[in-house]
Amino acid sequence: MKDLLLITPPFTQLNTPYPGTAYLKGFLNTKGIESFQMDLGIEVILELFSKSTFQDLFNLALENDRIQSENCQRIYALKELYLKSLDDIILFLQGKNQTFARQICSDGFLPQASRFEQLDDMDFAFGSMGMQDKAKHLATLYIEDLSDFIVECIDPDFGFSRYAERLGQSANSFNALYTHLQDDATYIDQVTLKILNDQIKETQPKLICFSVPFPGNLYSAFRCAQFIKTNYPDIKIAMGGGFPNTELRSVNDVRVFEFFDFITLDDGELPIEFLYKNVCQSESKLSISVQEFKRTYLLLDGVVTYKNNSTAPDYKQAEVGTPDYSDLLLDQYISVIEIANPMHSLWSDGRWNKLTMAHGCYWGKCTFCDISLDYIKIYEPVAASLLVDRMETLIAQTGETGFHFVDEAAPPSLMKALALEITKRDLSVTWWTNIRFEKNFTQDLCLLLKASGCIAVSGGLEVASDRLLKLIDKGVTVAQVAQVTRNFTEANIMVHSYLMYGYPTQTMQETVDSLEMVRQLFEIGILQSGFWHQFALTAHSPIGLHPEDYGITPNYKTISFANNDVDFSDSTGIDHSQFSYGLKKSLFNFMHGIGFDLPLHDWFDFTVPETTISPDFIYNCLAEEVEPIIKPSAKVTWLGGLPLISEFSKSKKGKIINYLEVTFHDAIESYQITLEKQKGLWLLDTLAGLTPQQQPQTFKQLKTNFENQFENFELFWYSKPMDILRGFGLLVL
């Protein structure tokens, strides 16, 4: 029995839990408040994609005469093959049946429907995958075929990472969702509510809190709340998370509170603490009108009321505790590979512990972003030592050493400190995060990040146009992005770029030129993955707050429910949506290393202008980069190991000079440098003091130390032996 039940409703990710409830549970632990959490989405998926359930689905589809398309007719005709292999496929995707990969890769073993047609065009990329990844990709196509069958024959709103998303998108009115909730529960609803009911009976909570990150979680959250209100009227229900934080800041429809008692905004720790005190602590006999709340909507005397009557400050990031993944079915998540691109697969393949380096965004200027909201506006980094403490705690709890830092944009200085702390503690971890492509990501910093376990970064190139990047206030140029992505790629860190089209005042010419920039970045090989999305005007962004400054006219609607996406007219009059298919098709090809020689107009089924970008633009950007000037305050660190040393002498102009031959070994190769003995001894002693375990030294301190014994430090620092060392772990940060 637990007073608090924390739930992520269907659906978010198949491969790893969304971290909202784990963050809250970790905080509640610091207050001695017991809670239980569940990811309802993965539990529903596992029940749905089982032999017994799919036998019912095939029968139901036939009985209701839903099997119409040629594709679903084929799937139904092959139902025995699907039923025979389904449970084993799920086990394989859970990592529990790895030898099954050989069978999956055998020709003719898996039944194949329309999703497998893409393999004909991608044979070269597919063939480069290892057997486990190849089998995982095939198994993914197999379950996507089955998901297509569900969408056509059982429930058109189904999706692996969303459910009835259309009901939550741009839902200014509650009418459509409310009407849908009056319909009978769907098959997927029934599966969901049975699992929920079993958990409520076991947990017996007084308060159930739904974390709703996306529009694709909203419908299920309301359907679950409806079920609870009907069957467990004494249980109080709250909703928080990313969707209400951005969309429900103006809610005033009383019907919403037929389902939820409370809706909380922004950081959830303090609001949920007050809800617990008000609902769960028996000594709390105060009426709701005088109880303390933090950023909470509720119904008071029949009116939707926003209560923020507590003066208690929000908790600092150092005080919120380590995320707690207990209760979640960590060994039952499903890793899938939707396309053969290794960077793109990170979002769906592998179990990642989620952590946050910093609350909010350290840049906080991008004009399309909701930077007026506290969860972005209030920037607060977490100390590197505390971050690594939390990493070690999660490794001990979950057995997983993979981490996804889910920041708005991780600051380079904190990433550097984190990497040094990881290296100092000699941890073997794998991690990735979101960044801005700013100039502070030097070649040496990227090498340090790689040495600490960083395998990938994602960041916003957005419109790939310097004029529009300036309008966005991104603080970067295309040339700078090219140089930074080159630094990451040369350090063997994969790079994903978020791309945007349809930004206010963007012309057709600029869209085509942006595509050419992207094409060159992929062709040169300094971008490995990307995703195009069409610009959306949000109410809380600088553009949404001051649309007249950006050449657009908003078409405002009456708001009684969700308020974020705003319909608008652009002064250009261009229908940017027509670019969607061509941009995404070209990008899919670029991500798999093909299509670079096709003229850009071939990607579109309408006339577009020729690009004005030189075919060597990105190449020239990289060639023009100037060696950065080393600041005296820059920290110097040595990531290499201890060398083997031999001594020899030789005559130079009749004088015997003693030399050291120093041999270093790294994981791949060996390399040697030769130095005069005294300078060699100084260097070896200095390197021993430059490891991450030692007190860091500045470049100025290093120079002073050298010149106490020798002359002309610059000549020594830029000599060939030192140049070799700088390529193998002598870094200036």
Side-chain angles (χ1 to χ4, degrees), residues 450-462:
K450 177 62 180 178
S452 73
C454 179
I455 59 165
V457 294
S458 57
L461 172 55
E462 318 305 356

Side-chain angles (χ1 to χ4, degrees), residues 304-357:
V304 178
T305 305
Y306 180 68
K307 293 206 69 174
N308 191 27
N309 59 336
S310 170
T311 58
D314 280 299
Y315 289 97
K316 299 293 185 183
Q317 290 301 296
E319 302 170 324
V320 298
T322 301
D324 184 348
Y325 285 89
S326 62
D327 310 327
L328 298 172
L329 310 178
L330 297 182
D331 63 341
Q332 296 188 39
Y333 282 84
I334 301 170
S335 284
V336 296
I337 296 180
E338 297 164 300
I339 63 174
N341 182 284
M343 170 72 211
H344 215 74
S345 69
L346 288 180
W347 279 272
S348 61
D349 184 25
R351 246 280 300 132
W352 302 99
N353 294 320
K354 308 273 189 174
L355 276 175
T356 303
M357 285 193 213

